[in-house]
Amino acid sequence: MTPVWQCQAVTSASTAGAVRQGSLRELNLAVVLGRIAAADRPPSRAAIAADTGLTRATVSAVVDDLIAGRLVVEAAPEPRAGAGRPARGLRLAADGPAGLGLEVNVDYLAACVVDLTGQVRHHEVHRADLRPLSPADALARLVELAGRARATADRHGLTLAGATLAVPGLVDAHGLVRLAPNLGWREVDVPALLAGHPPLTGTVAGPALTVDNEANLAALGELHATPGTASFLHVSGEIGIGAGIVLDGALFRGVRGWSGELGHVPVDPTGPRCRCGARGCLETYAGQEAVLAAAGLSGADLPADTAARRLADLAGAGDPATLDALRAAGTALGVAVSGVVNLLDLDTVVLGGGYATLAPWLRPPVAAELADRVLTAAWSPVTVRAAALGPESAVVGGAGAVLRRIITRPSDWLGRRE
Amino acid sequence: MTPVWQCQAVTSASTAGAVRQGSLRELNLAVVLGRIAAADRPPSRAAIAADTGLTRATVSAVVDDLIAGRLVVEAAPEPRAGAGRPARGLRLAADGPAGLGLEVNVDYLAACVVDLTGQVRHHEVHRADLRPLSPADALARLVELAGRARATADRHGLTLAGATLAVPGLVDAHGLVRLAPNLGWREVDVPALLAGHPPLTGTVAGPALTVDNEANLAALGELHATPGTASFLHVSGEIGIGAGIVLDGALFRGVRGWSGELGHVPVDPTGPRCRCGARGCLETYAGQEAVLAAAGLSGADLPADTAARRLADLAGAGDPATLDALRAAGTALGVAVSGVVNLLDLDTVVLGGGYATLAPWLRPPVAAELADRVLTAAWSPVTVRAAALGPESAVVGGAGAVLRRIITRPSDWLGRRE
C-alpha cells in the first residue's frame, strides 16, 4: 500500500525550486512585491527587511529591480516627529503594467483597463444582442472595444501586460469555449478566432490572452472590490446562473476548471425541464426567464440589468405578482445555496449580477432557507449580501487576474521586458 | 479601491520564512523527505540532488539528519550493469514514528497503528452500541483500545508520533465536538475528557491528539489506499451520510472545518422531515434508516456494515422491495452528488462506508443522474466506484494524517526528539 502522503509529498518536492540559486531571486521579488501590495501604508525598505527576514542589502537590490521594472514607486516621505531623515515608503506603480479585461455576454460586450493600484482607468460597455451573431462576428466587435482600451492605455503611459476574456460558459485550459448555452456557442476556439488581432497580440508577460468563465471572473471582481471577504460564494444571476467560489482569496476552479455551475444544481428532481436537458435545475426557478414569467412579464431575453431593474421597480411599488415571483426565486436559490454551504462550509454568500439589484427581495428567503437547512447555522450564521460591483464585476475581475499574476510572479513580467 | 491581489500577496509574504536561515534547514528537510516519500523506487543521494537543485553536500547532511531521526533508512543496493559501486537508495523507515488512528462511531470503537511506509501494523475493532453510553464512558472504553495499540507499537519498536480520533460529527479546531447527531453528542470536549490518559498523552510531535470528522478521515483513508486518485468526493454511507472532499491530494475542510455535510444537502425541498429539522435532506432518502424502511426491514439502528450486508444479500437474491429501495436511494444520492459535481467539477465519486458494499446496486442510478444532470458530463464523464477500504477507512486515514504531518514538516518531529 502506498502511503497516504505521497501526493502531498510531490507538492512539497515541487517547492524545491525555491532553494535553487536562480529561483531565490524570483522568490525574493515576489515576497517583497507581495509585502508592498498587501501593506495598508507604504512600507520602507527597513520595514520590509524586518518583516521578511531578508537582509537590508537584498531588499534594496530587489526594490531597485522592481522600480526599474515600473512595478513599484517611492512614495513621498511622510513628515515624522522624531529626528533624522524620514524613510521613503514604497507603493505599487500606477503607471506601469495594466490589465485588460474583456467580456462577451449574451447582451453586451465590455472592455476595461485596470492599473496595478486597482484603479479602473477605462471602461466601455457596448449593448447588443449577440445571440444572432456568429462567434467570429461577435469577437470582431470585441476587438474594436479592445483597440479603444489599448489606445487609452497608451495615452496614459500604461503597458497592457495581458488580457482576460470573460465568457458565460465552460472554458477549457486552452481557451476553447466548450459550451456557452445562453449565448448559443459550442466548441468555439476563441484564441484561434482572435489570433492576429493587434490589440490583443501586442501584449507582453505570459499568455497574451486568457479566456475564463464569467462567473469565476465576477467573483474575482468582487474580491477586488471587497478584499476583506477572503472566502465566499458569489452568485451571478443573469439569464443563466453561475457561481464563483473564492477560498482564502483564491478562486476555486475544480479539477478541470469547470466548477461553479450552480444554475444546474437540482432544486427539485421532478421539477420543470431545463435547457440543459435535466429536470428541476435552479435556473428553471430562479433564472431571469423563470422570474419574469412568474411575475407575468415578457422580455425573457432582456439584458440582465434591465430585467432586474424592471423587477425591482415593480417590487418596490408593491406589485404582488412580482413580490411572489421574487420570493419563490429566493426560496429556490436558498435551497441550492444551502446545499453548497452544507458541503463547503462557507460563511458568506454574495448576490451578484442581476441579483445584486434584487437583493432586498431575494435576501430574506435565501437567509430563511440557510437558517433552516444549514447544519451549523445555529452557531455560525451565514452572511448574505449584495455584490459591491454590478454587471462590470467580470470585466474588472478579468483585468485584476492579469495583475494578480504579475504580483505573484513579478519575475515573468521583468523577464519579458529584458 | 484596494487591489484584488491583496489577499494572495499576504500569502506570498508568509512564505518569506522560507528564505530565512533557520527555515532553510526546515525546508530542505521537507524537500528531501518529500522526494523520498514520493519516489516509486528508492532514490540515491545523487538523484535527490539532481531533482531538487540542492548540492550533494546539503543532501548528504539532510539525509544524515533524517536517518538519525529514524525517518529514513538506506535500502539494500540494487545490482547494476555499469562499473563502480552501486548507489544506495533511500526509503521511508518502517520502524520509526507511527500514527495512532482512533474512532468512536455509533456502533463501534476502533484503533489502528500505521507506520511511515503505510503498513497497518495493528487494527482492533470493538463492536457495541455506544448511544446509551455517556461520552466519558465511551471514551474510557476507547482508551483501553488505545492502550493495546500502544503496547503493539512498543513491541515493534515504533514510536507513536500522535493520534487522530474520528468522530461522526462536527468538530471545531480545539477538538470540541459541537454536534454528533447520530451518536447523541452535543458540545463534548473530547480533549478534556481524555486528558491524563497515558496511552494518548505520552505521544510526541505536535498536539498529542487531534479530533476530526469521520467522513473527512475516511476520505483520507481512501487517498491512502488509492493515492493515484488525487481529487474525489468520498461519500460515507452510514446511519448518517457524510462526505470528504479531496482536492489535489489534500482534504478540503471549508472555512471553519465543517465541510462535507452531504447528508443535509436538499434533494426535494418539500420532502420528508429530517432529524436536523429541515425537509427533504439526502439522509431522509438514502440514509440507512430510510433504505431499510423502504426495503420493508426493521433494524434501523443496526451497525452500518451489518445493515449493508443484509441489504446486499437480499438484493443479490433478487428481492424486489430491496432492489426498489436501493434504486430510489441511488437516485436521490445521484441528485445530490450531481449538484456537488456541477459546483466543484470533480471527476471521481467514491462510494464508501456501507455504500461500498451496496455499490453494485447504487452505482447505476448514481451514474444515470450524473449523466443527466452534470453539464460537462458529455465530454468528461464522472467515475463512480466503490471505496477500496471499508469501515476501517476513517481510522486508517486518521493514523495517516499523523504521518502526513511528519512528512510535510519533519523538523517538528526531529525537534521534539532533541
Side-chain angles (χ1 to χ4, degrees), chain B residues 26-339:
Chain B
E26 289 177 19
L27 179 63
N28 289 340
L29 284 165
V31 164
V32 172
L33 186 59
R35 177 69 187 76
I36 294 168
D40 286 332
R41 44 196 309 170
S44 65
R45 289 166 176 78
I48 295 170
D51 284 359
T52 58
L54 295 168
T55 65
R56 286 286 295 269
T58 302
V59 170
S60 281
V62 167
V63 166
D64 288 348
D65 284 353
L66 294 172
I67 291 176
R70 296 163 63 215
L71 295 174
V72 162
V73 292
E74 290 193 319
E78 289 179 29
R80 70 171 185 185
R85 198 162 54 96
R88 292 175 76 91
L90 297 159
R91 56 178 176 73
L92 295 175
D95 298 317
L100 173 61
L102 299 168
E103 183 172 6
V104 178
N105 217 311
V106 178
D107 45 24
Y108 64 91
L109 297 164
C112 80
V113 175
V114 179
D115 70 29
L116 206 53
T117 72
Q119 292 302 311
V120 177
R121 305 284 287 265
H122 172 89
H123 186 210
E124 180 184 358
V125 177
H126 174 72
R127 298 206 173 282
D129 186 350
L130 292 156
R131 286 168 292 189
L133 269 62
S134 72
D137 287 345
L139 290 171
R141 287 206 197 174
L142 183 71
V143 168
E144 294 173 24
L145 273 77
R148 286 192 287 274
R150 186 179 193 81
T152 307
D154 289 347
R155 209 159 51 241
H156 290 299
L158 294 162
T159 305
L160 293 184
T164 309
L165 169 59
V167 177
L170 296 164
V171 185
D172 79 4
H174 308 289
L176 179 72
V177 178
R178 304 301 289 263
L179 180 67
N182 296 311
L183 201 51
W185 289 16
R186 188 179 281 273
E187 306 293 335
V188 175
D189 188 344
V190 172
L193 289 172
L194 285 175
H197 282 293
L200 295 169
T201 51
T203 57
V204 293
L209 177 77
T210 305
V211 187
D212 203 345
N213 174 270
E214 171 259 338
N216 280 346
L217 294 172
L220 285 183
E222 181 66 17
L223 182 64
H224 178 104
T226 58
T229 316
S231 296
F232 57 88
L233 178 76
H234 180 274
V235 184
S236 297
E238 313 279 357
I239 291 178
I241 302 170
I245 303 165
V246 174
L247 302 172
D248 283 336
L251 190 65
F252 172 76
R253 293 182 175 277
V255 171
R256 294 155 302 202
W258 295 325
S259 69
E261 290 300 332
L262 186 70
H264 302 282
V265 166
V267 168
D268 179 345
T270 59
R273 181 75 65 186
C274 177
R275 210 181 325 243
C276 77
R279 282 194 177 279
C281 298
L282 176 62
E283 273 185 26
T284 66
Y285 297 93
Q288 176 173 323
E289 192 172 339
V291 180
L292 288 171
L297 300 174
S298 59
D301 57 355
L302 278 177
D305 52 340
T306 309
R309 275 199 304 272
R310 188 171 297 181
L311 287 165
D313 287 346
L314 285 164
D319 178 63
T322 302
L323 291 172
D324 283 353
L326 290 174
R327 199 176 300 117
T331 299
L333 182 59
V335 169
V337 168
S338 295

Side-chain angles (χ1 to χ4, degrees), chain A residues 173-197:
Chain A
H174 308 290
L176 179 73
V177 178
R178 304 302 288 263
L179 180 67
N182 296 311
L183 201 51
W185 289 16
R186 189 178 280 273
E187 306 294 336
V188 175
D189 188 344
V190 172
L193 288 172
L194 286 175
H197 282 293

Side-chain angles (χ1 to χ4, degrees), chain A residues 5 116 256 260 279 343 345, chain B residues 5 116 256 260 343 345 373:
Chain A
W5 46 85
L116 206 52
R256 294 155 302 202
R279 283 195 176 279
L343 198 79
D345 178 34
Chain B
W5 45 88
L116 206 53
R256 294 155 302 202
L343 197 80
D345 178 34
R373 295 183 178 281

Side-chain angles (χ1 to χ4, degrees), chain A residues 1-13 15-20 24 27-28 30-31 34-35 37-38 40 50-54 92 115-119 170 178-179 186-187 220 223-225 227 230-231 233 243 245 247-250 252-262 264-270 276-281 335 338-347 372-373 375-376 379-382 389 400-401 403-404 407-408, chain B residues 1-13 15-20 24 27-28 30-31 34-35 37-38 40 50-54 92 115-119 170 178-179 186-187 220 223-225 227 230-231 233 243 245 247-250 252-262 264-270 276-281 335 338-347 372-373 375-376 379-382 389 400-401 403-404 407-408:
Chain A
M1 196 182 281
T2 321
V4 57
W5 46 85
Q6 180 152 323
C7 298
Q8 181 61 32
V10 173
T11 309
S12 297
T15 63
V19 289
R20 286 185 201 162
L24 194 56
L27 179 63
N28 288 341
V31 164
R35 177 68 187 77
D40 287 331
D51 284 359
T52 59
L54 296 168
L92 295 175
D115 71 31
L116 206 52
T117 72
Q119 291 303 311
L170 299 163
R178 304 302 288 263
L179 180 67
R186 189 178 280 273
E187 306 294 336
L220 285 182
L223 182 64
H224 178 104
S231 296
L233 178 76
I245 303 164
L247 302 172
D248 283 335
F252 172 76
R253 292 183 175 276
V255 172
R256 294 155 302 202
W258 296 324
S259 69
E261 291 299 332
L262 186 70
H264 302 281
V265 166
V267 168
D268 179 344
T270 58
C276 77
R279 283 195 176 279
C281 297
V335 169
S338 294
V340 178
V341 174
N342 269 318
L343 198 79
L344 297 184
D345 178 34
L346 295 167
D347 57 11
D372 268 8
R373 297 185 177 280
L375 207 58
T376 58
W379 60 84
S380 58
V382 179
L389 294 182
L403 300 165
R404 192 183 188 108
I407 298 283
T408 53
Chain B
M1 196 183 284
T2 321
V4 58
W5 45 88
Q6 180 152 326
C7 297
Q8 181 62 31
V10 173
T11 309
S12 298
T15 64
V19 290
R20 287 186 199 160
L24 194 56
L27 179 63
N28 289 340
V31 164
R35 177 69 187 76
D40 286 332
D51 284 359
T52 58
L54 295 168
L92 295 175
D115 70 29
L116 206 53
T117 72
Q119 292 302 311
L170 296 164
R178 304 301 289 263
L179 180 67
R186 188 179 281 273
E187 306 293 335
L220 285 183
L223 182 64
H224 178 104
S231 296
L233 178 76
I245 303 165
L247 302 172
D248 283 336
F252 172 76
R253 293 182 175 277
V255 171
R256 294 155 302 202
W258 295 325
S259 69
E261 290 300 332
L262 186 70
H264 302 282
V265 166
V267 168
D268 179 345
T270 59
C276 77
R279 282 194 177 279
C281 298
V335 169
S338 295
V340 178
V341 174
N342 269 320
L343 197 80
L344 297 185
D345 178 34
L346 296 168
D347 57 11
D372 268 7
R373 295 183 178 281
L375 207 58
T376 58
W379 59 85
S380 57
V382 179
L389 294 181
L403 299 166
R404 191 182 187 109
I407 297 283
T408 52

